[in-house]
Amino acid sequence: MKRTTAQPIGALLDNLFKSPDVARKIAEGSLPHIWREITGEVVAANTRQVRFLRGTLYVHISSSVLRSELMMQREALVRSINKKLGIDLVQSVVVQ
């Protein structure tokens, strides 16, 4: 089937990035960067791994003091991350 009207590449890319599946994958890929923005440089420097699996963000922290502090702020972290992403991607944060 031949297309009769040309579409700008920008419009095609906008439609692609707005699709729910692609938007979720892009958001998942930006989680480490958003973690750094939300928690700051001190926490980011002590973060060893940021992993996302089935709605849960797993974060490995090397400092026990920071780990304890972040465990108490998990709900606020979920709200901040989802607000920054613009979608409700993260349901919980596990600090290890």
Side-chain angles (χ1 to χ4, degrees):
M1 191 158 119
K2 193 173 187 179
R3 186 178 294 262
T4 57
T5 58
Q7 290 183 334
I9 190 77
L12 293 172
L13 288 174
D14 283 344
N15 289 337
L16 174 68
F17 291 132
K18 288 179 183 174
S19 71
D21 292 334
V22 174
R24 286 182 71 80
K25 287 296 181 186
I26 291 171
E28 285 178 29
S30 65
L31 281 172
H33 176 70
I34 288 176
W35 177 259
R36 178 179 290 277
E37 281 183 24
I38 290 173
T39 60
E41 292 300 319
V42 173
V43 174
N46 286 282
T47 301
R48 297 295 164 235
Q49 184 180 28
V50 177
R51 189 170 47 103
F52 181 74
L53 183 64
R54 296 186 196 120
T56 303
L57 183 65
Y58 296 91
V59 184
H60 293 268
I61 305 293
S62 60
S63 167
S64 61
V65 173
L66 288 175
R67 191 178 317 122
S68 297
E69 186 176 326
L70 290 170
M71 287 174 75
M72 292 185 287
Q73 298 175 3
R74 288 180 292 188
E75 291 178 18
L77 287 169
V78 168
R79 286 191 302 273
S80 297
I81 291 168
N82 286 335
K83 183 178 179 182
K84 189 80 168 170
L85 289 172
I87 61 171
D88 287 336
L89 180 69
V90 178
Q91 279 79 46
S92 63
V93 174
V94 175
V95 181
Q96 301 173 326

